Amino acid sequence: MTAPKRLIEVDLPIKRISAHSRREKSIRHGHISTLHIWWARRPLAACRAVICAALWPDPADPQCPESFRREAKKLMRKWANEYLGLVGAESYNNFIKIQRNPKLLDDPKVVRGALFDFIADFANWDNSTKPEYLETSRALTESAHVALGGEPGTRPLVVDPFAGGGAIPLEALRIGADAFASDLNPVAVLLNKVVLEYIPKYGQRLADEVRKWGEWVKREAEKELAEFYPKDPDGATPIAYLWARTIVCEGPGCGVEVPLMRSLWLSKKPGRGIALQLVPRPRAKRVDFEIIEKAKARDVSEGTVRRGSASCPVCSFTTPVASVRKQMRGKRGGASDAQLFCVVTTRPGEQGRFYRLPTERDRNAVGRAQAELEKRIRRHKEALSLVPDEPLPPQGTLGFRVQLYGMEEWGDLFTPRQLLALTTLARLVRNVHLEMTDELVRNARKNTNKDAQHRFGNDSMEADIVEIASAVQSCLGLVVDRQADALTSLVRWRYTVEAHAGTFGRQALPMMWDFTEIFPFSGATGDFQGALDWVVEVIVENSAIPADGTVAQTPATSHPLPDDSAVAFITDPPYYDAVPYADLSDFFYVWLKRTLTSAIAGAFAVQLTPKEDESIVDEVKGKDRVYFERTMAQAMAEGRRVLNPTGVGLVVFAHKSTSGWEAQLQAMVNAGWTMTGSWPIDTERPGRLRAQDSAALASSVHLVCRPRENPDVSLRSDDIGDWRDVLQELPKRIHEWMPRLASEGVVGADAIFACLGPALEIFSRYSRVEKASGDQVTLKEYLEHVWAAVSKEALNMIFKSADATGFEEDARLTAMWLWTLSTGGGADESGESDEIDDKESSGSGKTSSGYTLEFDAARKIAQGLGAHLEQLDHVVAVKGDQARLLPVSERAKHLFGKAEKTEQKVRPRQNRQRDLFDAGKSSDEESESWNLRGGWKVGETTLDRVHQSMLLFGSGRGEAMKRFLVEDGAGREQRFWRLAQALSALYPANSEEKRWVDGVLARKKGLGF
C-alpha cells in the first residue's frame, strides 16, 4: 500500500498553534515544566499539535484509507452538532457552516479543514484535559492506526530518543499513542519515568502519597534546622538573607573589606523605593549599611562591582578583575565568608516585605550552622560524601564562569547553611523509602486479602509496595532538586518584584556577586512547601493520561527497539553547541545521588552524568562539528531503522547558526531521510534577553521527513538528481513558501530557517545530486544557493514586489539584515538585566550597539544579494565570528566627512518626542558641532542619502535637511522615499533610527514630494 500523506505534510495552522505555544510559557500550575528544570523544553501545545498531524492521514489524499475518512467525517460532524460551544473563535464559523449543511463534509478537503481547526483548538492548554478533546483525538489516532495497517486493539508507537523533559512522549500518550522515551542522561530518564510511568500508573494515589510523605520530610527537617533559622523577637519571619561576596581593597594603604554588589536597591516596585546606603568605616576596615525608605533614584549610589572590577567605597580605588578573581580563588568562590547585609522578613497580619539590617543573632545562627555541618561531615561514614565533592566541568565549558573564581566542586556553589539544609532534606527523603514500605506492609497485613488485592492490584503485593515507594521517593527527589535551585549562592534578589530568582534563570551558571539565601521553611515563595505543591500539582494535572509509556536510559546512537517497530519518529535533538545539557544537569545529579535509595539509583551509580556519547559540539571536550555530524547521523539512522517504512519522522531544531543547521541537516541526509516539509512554530518568549538585537530564533522549526528506502527497507542509493533541475525548481519553491510564512506572521530568521524544509525536499529526494560533469553536489554548496534564493525572495517582499535591483548593494543588505533580525527585540519583562555579572570588557566598558548576526549568516545573506561584506566596511563591522550592522549614528563620519567630531549630538530622551514635530528648529550649540556650510556632499548611494537625512533630522537641523532634500536634490528620486518607507517598517519600534526615518517621512508632503 502506498502511504498517504499525513496532515503535517499538507498544511498546519501554525499561527494559531504558535499563539497557544507562546501563551503556554506563562502557564505554571500543573505544567510539567514546573516538575523540574530541563533546558530548551518544547511547549506541550506545539508537541500535541504536530503529533496529531503526524499520525493522522490527510482525508483529501487519494491514498487515504476510506475507514479513516469515514471516522474523521463522523467525528467532525459530532463536533459541529454537539461540541460547538467548546471550539475556539477562529473555528466557530467553520463548524457552524458544517452544522447548517452537513453535506459539506462529503468534500474531503472540508474534513481536512475541520481536522486542522480541531488540532488548533486542542493545542490550547485549557482544552488539553477536556474529555471531549481527549476522546476525539484518541478515536482519530486509533482509527488512523488500524486504517494504516496496525493491529486492532494496539496503539501506534511514537519513539523519541532525545526525550529530555518528556514533552513529546507525554503528548503522544495523551492522544492515544504508545510512547518509547529514551535518553542518555539519567536525570532526564528519571523525569520521564515520573511523567510517563509513575503518574499514569498511580495517578491521584501518587499525589496523595507524595504530599503525605513530603509533609513528613518538612516536619522532620523543620525540627532539625529550627535553631539555625531563628524567628525575630517581634514574631517576624525571615524569608531571605541577602549576602555579598567580599574582597580586600588593594588600594595603597587601604585594606578595607569591600562588599561586591551589583545594585543597592532592595525594592523598586511602583510607588515603593527601598535601598541601601553604604557607610564606610575606614578605621574598622569595613563597610556598613543603612536602609533608605522611600528612596529615589538620585538617593541611591551605584553598586561596587562593574564588569568584574571592584570599586572601594572608602578610597575609590578600583581593584582590577584579575585581582578580584585571584582573591576569589583563594576563598573557593567566597560563599562561605560572604558579608550578610540585609534580612528580608514578613510580619504576621501584614502584607508585603520588610527589610532590616542583620543582627548578632543572625550571624550567630550562621556560625552554628557552619559548626553543625562540619560536625556532620566528620561523623559521615558512607562512601558517598555528605557534601557534593564531584568536580565542576572544565574551565571554558559553555555557560560556566564560576570556575574562574575558585569554584571547583559542586559543593562550592553553596553556603554552609544551605548545605546543611539540603543534606538534611536529602537524608530524610532517602529515609522515606524505608519508612513508607514499613508502613504499607504493616497496613497491608491488617487488611483482608480482598482489600489488599483491591489496593495493590493483581501483581505481587510486595513488588507493588516497593514500586509505589520508589515512585514517591523519586517525586520527592525532584522536590529537593527544586529546593536546590532556589538555595545556592548564585541566586539573585529581584528588586522589581521583591522575590528571589532561581539559580537557572537561563541555561548557564554565571557568577553572582551579591546573592540571596532563602529560608526553606518560611512559607514564602521558593520554600520547601512551595516546591512540594508544584510537584503534586503536576501529578494531579496529568493523572488522567490513559496509559503509561516506556522509558529507557540508552544513547540515541544505539537504540534497543527492533526494526520497523514505530509508526512515528518524533524528537527534539540537542542544538549543536547551544546547551551543555550533561554539564548543567550535573547540578541536580549530585543531589539525586544523595537522595535516592539503591532501589532506584542504579542510573546514578557513576560519578557524574555520561558525556562521552553526548551528541553536541563542545570544543573543551574535543567534540567538533565532525563529531556532531557523525553521532547525529548515527542517531538519525537508528531512527530510520526503528521506523516502519510507511512511517513519518519529525525533527525539531532551533539553532541560530548556519553551521548548526548545516550539521543537523547533513546528519539527516547522510542517515537516509527525505524532507517533505517544515513548519516554524513559536516556542520562545519574544522579550527574552537572548532575542534582543540578534537573530535568535523565536520559533522551533519542525522538519517533516520520510525514510528514503526501497521496498525491502534498504537505503535507496541509485536516485541521482540533475543539478540544473534542482536549481531550476528551488526559487519556485521558495517563491511559493515565503508569502505563506509571511501570512502566518513568520518573518526574519524564523522564515529563513523555515525555508530549509521545502528546499531540502528537492535535494534530499535523491540519493545524490550531480552536475553535468558528474561531480557530486555537497549539501553545503546547495545551501549556499538556498540562502541566495531566500534572500532574493525576502527582498522582493520587503519592497512589496517592486524592483529591488534598483537599489545599491548597501541598501539591499541593510534591508535584508534588518528583516532577518525582525523576530527579536523587546525588553525583559522584569526590567532587570540577566547579564552575567562578571562580564568584562577589554575596552572602555561600553557595550557595542548595532544589529548583530553570526558572520557566516551575514556572509551568505550578502552573497545571495550580490553584495560583498569586505567592500561594505562603512556599513558592516566584522569582529571574530560576529558581524554588526552599524547604527546610523556611527556612520556620521563616512556620511559627512567631519574628522574632528563624528558623532551627532543627540538630545536628552525627554526632548526626543518634540523632534518629530519641531525638527525645523535647531540649536546654535548643536550647529557648532556640525559643518553645514561645506565639506560634505550628497551621498553616493540611496542608503547614504536616507541616512544623511535621518541624521540631520535627529539632530534638529530641519532647515539643513530641507536644503539637502530639495535644493541638493536628494529627495527627488522616488526610490529615496521607497527605501525610507521600507526602513521605517524594518527598524525596531523603539530605536532611534525608527524615530528619525519616520520624522523624515513626515516632512515629505510638506516639502512638495
Side-chain angles (χ1 to χ4, degrees):
M1 180 183 71
T2 303
K5 285 188 175 182
R6 308 297 171 92
L7 284 169
I8 200 166
E9 295 176 294
V10 178
D11 205 346
L12 205 64
I14 55 178
K15 190 172 186 178
R16 296 166 66 184
I17 296 169
S18 293
H20 293 310
S21 297
R22 288 192 300 269
R23 174 184 172 240
E24 192 178 303
K25 288 288 183 177
S26 62
I27 291 172
R28 307 289 292 161
H29 296 279
H31 196 283
I32 63 166
S33 63
T34 62
L35 183 69
H36 192 279
I37 286 174
W38 194 258
W39 300 273
R41 190 195 302 261
R42 297 303 96 199
L44 300 181
C47 296
R48 185 158 59 251
V50 298
I51 294 172
C52 287
L55 293 181
W56 303 344
D58 172 24
D61 189 282
Q63 303 297 327
C64 178
E66 187 59 35
S67 60
F68 177 79
R69 196 177 283 137
R70 286 196 306 268
E71 182 69 9
K73 179 178 176 180
K74 181 185 77 174
L75 290 171
M76 293 303 97
R77 182 182 292 117
K78 189 173 185 179
W79 270 87
N81 293 332
E82 299 180 26
Y83 302 146
L84 197 58
L86 297 175
V87 303
E90 294 183 64
S91 304
Y92 187 82
N93 288 336
N94 294 332
F95 279 110
I96 277 286
K97 292 176 183 177
I98 294 172
Q99 184 189 63
R100 292 173 179 172
N101 185 7
K103 289 186 177 181
L104 288 173
L105 289 173
D106 292 340
D107 183 350
K109 291 183 179 179
V110 175
V111 180
R112 175 208 285 167
L115 288 174
F116 281 133
D117 281 334
F118 174 85
I119 288 172
D121 291 342
F122 192 23
N124 188 337
W125 167 264
D126 300 331
N127 295 332
S128 61
T129 57
K130 288 181 179 177
E132 296 85 353
Y133 281 94
L134 295 174
E135 292 167 7
T136 302
S137 65
R138 292 165 190 170
L140 287 164
T141 299
E142 180 183 10
S143 175
H145 178 55
V146 174
L148 294 172
E151 289 291 329
T154 65
R155 294 188 294 268
L157 178 61
V158 175
V159 174
D160 181 2
F162 296 103
I168 290 171
L170 173 64
E171 292 308 312
L173 291 180
R174 190 188 305 274
I175 69 162
D178 276 340
F180 189 101
S182 59
D183 204 289
L184 178 64
N185 193 301
V187 178
V189 171
L190 182 67
L191 293 180
N192 279 278
K193 284 188 75 69
V194 170
V195 171
L196 306 176
E197 293 183 1
Y198 295 149
I199 294 177
K201 183 171 184 178
Y202 294 108
Q204 186 61 46
R205 179 187 172 197
L206 179 62
D208 294 340
E209 296 284 10
V210 169
R211 184 172 293 285
K212 172 185 173 180
W213 290 100
E215 289 176 350
W216 176 82
V217 169
K218 178 176 178 287
R219 288 194 302 272
E220 295 298 313
E222 268 190 295
K223 285 188 291 185
E224 275 194 42
L225 300 172
E227 65 173 299
F228 308 113
Y229 296 95
K231 284 197 171 186
D232 288 2
D234 63 357
T237 300
I239 64 169
Y241 302 85
L242 307 186
W243 296 81
R245 303 176 205 271
T246 63
I247 63 160
V248 174
C249 175
E250 298 181 355
C254 185
V256 164
E257 188 175 53
V258 179
L260 304 178
M261 303 178 69
R262 296 169 303 129
S263 171
L264 298 181
W265 285 100
L266 297 173
S267 173
K268 223 176 176 185
K269 276 187 172 180
R272 174 174 162 88
I274 303 175
L276 293 164
Q277 182 174 312
L278 300 175
V279 182
R281 306 287 189 196
R283 291 186 179 180
K285 301 293 185 182
R286 71 171 192 268
V287 176
D288 290 340
F289 297 89
E290 291 180 356
I291 295 176
I292 310 171
E293 301 281 350
K294 299 181 180 178
K296 306 293 184 184
R298 62 177 177 272
D299 304 323
V300 183
S301 303
E302 292 185 352
T304 60
V305 64
R306 182 173 177 80
R307 308 182 79 81
S309 300
S311 298
C312 177
V314 174
C315 72
S316 300
F317 180 83
T318 297
T319 301
V321 62
S323 298
V324 172
R325 287 180 175 176
K326 183 178 180 181
Q327 290 197 40
M328 286 289 111
R329 284 195 292 270
K331 301 190 289 185
R332 295 180 72 94
S336 60
D337 63 351
Q339 179 178 351
L340 179 62
F341 62 82
C342 186
V343 180
V344 188
T345 69
T346 56
R347 297 173 183 171
E350 297 186 56
Q351 291 186 341
R353 304 286 187 256
F354 300 89
Y355 301 85
R356 64 170 176 81
L357 297 177
T359 65
E360 199 62 30
R361 192 163 174 269
D362 298 312
R363 286 185 275 268
N364 289 339
V366 173
R368 290 196 303 273
Q370 185 164 359
E372 177 65 19
L373 177 66
E374 292 170 355
K375 184 169 69 175
R376 293 187 184 186
I377 291 174
R378 289 194 299 269
R379 289 195 316 229
H380 188 73
K381 302 299 183 184
E382 298 179 26
L384 186 62
S385 64
L386 181 68
V387 171
D389 59 357
E390 294 86 348
L392 282 161
Q395 184 173 314
T397 297
L398 178 66
F400 287 78
R401 301 279 291 173
V402 294
Q403 300 93 326
L404 293 168
Y405 301 91
M407 300 184 194
E408 298 176 352
E409 299 175 354
W410 285 102
D412 294 336
L413 304 184
F414 306 86
T415 69
R417 184 161 61 177
Q418 289 173 332
L419 287 169
L420 181 64
L422 288 171
T423 54
T424 299
L425 291 171
R427 171 173 47 81
L428 290 169
V429 171
R430 192 176 179 87
N431 292 341
V432 162
H433 199 278
L434 179 61
E435 295 283 343
M436 183 177 176
T437 51
D438 285 349
E439 180 183 289
L440 289 177
V441 169
R442 288 195 305 270
N443 292 340
R445 288 171 179 168
K446 295 177 183 178
N447 296 332
T448 64
N449 288 338
K450 183 176 180 180
D451 290 339
Q453 285 183 2
H454 176 71
R455 182 172 183 187
F456 298 113
N458 297 322
D459 296 331
S460 162
M461 182 188 307
E462 182 178 345
D464 188 86
I465 289 174
V466 171
E467 186 174 17
I468 184 66
S470 297
V472 170
Q473 191 187 43
S474 296
C475 293
L476 291 177
L478 304 185
V479 174
V480 174
D481 274 0
R482 283 191 59 98
Q483 191 68 95
D485 176 60
L487 208 61
T488 76
S489 67
L490 303 179
V491 169
R492 64 186 174 92
W493 183 250
R494 298 177 62 202
Y495 51 77
T496 56
V497 293
E498 295 188 86
H500 76 283
T503 301
F504 289 100
R506 54 199 180 101
Q507 51 214 33
L509 281 178
M511 184 63 165
M512 288 290 163
W513 301 113
D514 54 295
F515 60 89
T516 303
E517 178 197 11
I518 68 164
F519 172 29
F521 309 110
S522 66
T525 301
D527 73 346
F528 184 84
Q529 184 65 55
L532 176 62
D533 291 341
W534 283 113
V535 171
V536 170
E537 282 195 57
V538 173
I539 299 172
V540 172
E541 181 70 27
N542 294 280
S543 59
I545 298 297
D548 56 321
T550 302
V551 180
Q553 183 185 7
T554 182
T557 54
S558 179
H559 209 279
L561 285 178
D563 295 354
D564 305 336
S565 52
V567 301
F569 172 78
I570 304 177
T571 193
D572 180 22
Y575 296 158
Y576 197 61
D577 62 354
V579 183
Y581 300 90
D583 290 316
L584 292 171
S585 66
D586 281 341
F587 174 91
F588 299 110
Y589 180 87
V590 298
W591 287 111
L592 289 169
K593 283 171 65 176
R594 291 161 172 78
T595 304
L596 305 179
T597 59
S598 57
I600 51 177
F604 295 83
V606 295
Q607 186 184 39
L608 291 167
T609 59
K611 300 173 180 67
E612 184 177 346
D613 295 326
E614 188 181 23
S615 185
I616 61 171
V617 171
D618 186 344
E619 295 181 0
V620 173
K621 297 183 178 66
K623 296 182 176 182
D624 57 10
R625 173 172 173 164
V626 174
Y627 169 84
F628 178 85
E629 282 185 13
R630 184 178 68 252
T631 55
M632 188 58 65
Q634 291 171 354
M636 294 294 107
E638 279 291 88
R640 185 177 59 81
R641 178 187 66 77
V642 304
L643 184 67
N644 185 288
T646 61
V648 66
L650 189 64
V651 176
V652 186
F653 206 65
H655 200 273
K656 73 178 183 69
S657 74
T658 57
S659 55
W661 270 100
E662 288 173 2
Q664 178 65 39
L665 294 171
Q666 187 69 65
M668 294 174 68
V669 169
N670 291 348
W673 290 95
T674 295
M675 316 316 171
T676 59
S678 66
W679 302 99
I681 298 176
D682 284 4
T683 57
E684 306 300 332
R685 178 170 58 86
R688 71 199 190 285
L689 185 72
R690 178 68 194 85
Q692 296 175 27
D693 297 327
S694 72
L697 297 187
S699 299
S700 294
V701 179
H702 296 65
L703 292 165
V704 188
C705 46
R706 293 273 192 165
R708 193 175 65 248
E709 295 178 342
N710 295 309
D712 63 355
V713 305
S714 62
L715 186 62
R716 288 205 316 268
S717 59
D718 55 354
D719 292 339
I720 301 175
D722 186 284
W723 181 227
R724 291 168 298 183
D725 294 340
V726 171
L727 286 183
Q728 188 175 6
E729 187 175 354
L730 174 62
K732 297 177 183 177
R733 294 299 302 276
I734 300 301
H735 180 70
E736 294 169 356
W737 187 232
M738 289 282 282
R740 165 66 201 280
L741 292 175
S743 70
E744 297 279 1
V746 180
V747 294
D750 293 311
I752 291 174
F753 290 116
C755 285
L756 292 176
L760 262 294
E761 182 182 351
I762 303 168
F763 187 83
S764 63
R765 68 170 68 126
Y766 305 107
S767 52
R768 66 183 182 276
V769 176
E770 292 183 355
K771 298 179 181 177
S773 62
D775 294 336
Q776 183 173 345
V777 180
T778 65
L779 176 65
K780 183 177 180 64
E781 182 180 356
Y782 177 64
L783 289 176
E784 297 279 351
H785 289 270
V786 173
W787 275 78
V790 170
S791 297
K792 290 174 182 176
E793 184 63 33
L795 201 63
N796 287 333
M797 292 174 57
I798 291 168
F799 292 103
K800 304 186 186 306
S801 300
D803 183 12
T805 59
F807 293 106
E808 299 88 344
E809 60 182 20
D810 58 350
R812 297 199 302 272
L813 180 63
T814 296
M816 183 62 189
W817 197 298
L818 293 171
W819 182 83
T820 303
L821 291 168
S822 58
T823 52
D828 185 80
E829 295 161 358
S830 68
E832 299 174 61
S833 172
D834 287 324
E835 181 182 9
I836 295 177
D837 281 353
D838 63 347
K839 187 175 181 181
E840 304 145 19
S841 172
S842 59
S844 64
K846 294 181 180 179
T847 304
S848 64
S849 58
Y851 307 96
T852 304
L853 283 177
E854 181 203 24
F855 170 74
D856 195 43
R859 179 186 65 80
K860 289 177 177 176
I861 287 173
Q863 182 176 301
L865 298 173
H868 304 279
L869 290 183
E870 64 275 11
Q871 298 174 8
L872 293 170
D873 57 355
H874 57 285
V875 177
V876 175
V878 176
K879 185 176 182 180
D881 61 353
Q882 299 291 309
R884 185 170 62 94
L885 183 71
L886 298 177
V888 177
S889 56
E890 285 189 37
R891 302 198 63 221
K893 180 178 180 179
H894 171 78
L895 296 172
F896 292 102
K898 186 164 177 58
E900 67 271 17
K901 187 175 180 64
T902 60
E903 297 88 353
Q904 62 167 322
K905 188 154 185 173
V906 180
R907 296 182 181 184
R909 178 174 293 273
Q910 59 265 31
N911 292 335
R912 285 179 181 163
Q913 184 63 35
R914 184 170 60 88
D915 289 345
L916 186 59
F917 303 101
D918 197 27
K921 299 179 180 179
S922 61
S923 74
D924 293 336
E925 180 184 352
E926 288 174 342
S927 297
E928 291 173 3
S929 67
W930 289 73
N931 181 9
L932 300 180
R933 298 175 182 174
W936 59 275
K937 60 181 180 179
V938 174
E940 294 182 359
T941 68
T942 308
L943 181 71
D944 285 350
R945 294 191 288 274
V946 171
H947 281 177
Q948 284 175 321
S949 65
M950 289 166 60
L951 287 171
L952 291 171
F953 173 86
S955 56
R957 297 175 179 81
E959 288 302 318
M961 185 182 74
K962 180 180 178 180
R963 290 196 302 271
F964 175 71
L965 293 175
V966 179
E967 297 174 17
D968 295 339
R972 292 175 187 170
E973 289 188 356
Q974 187 57 37
R975 63 178 179 172
F976 173 96
W977 299 105
R978 191 149 50 86
L979 178 60
Q981 194 67 53
L983 293 178
S984 173
L986 290 168
Y987 279 124
N990 296 321
S991 65
E992 289 179 323
E993 285 94 340
K994 167 70 172 171
R995 288 193 295 271
W996 296 342
V997 75
D998 283 351
V1000 173
L1001 288 167
R1003 298 292 302 276
K1004 178 182 178 182
K1005 188 175 181 180
L1007 294 174
F1009 296 113

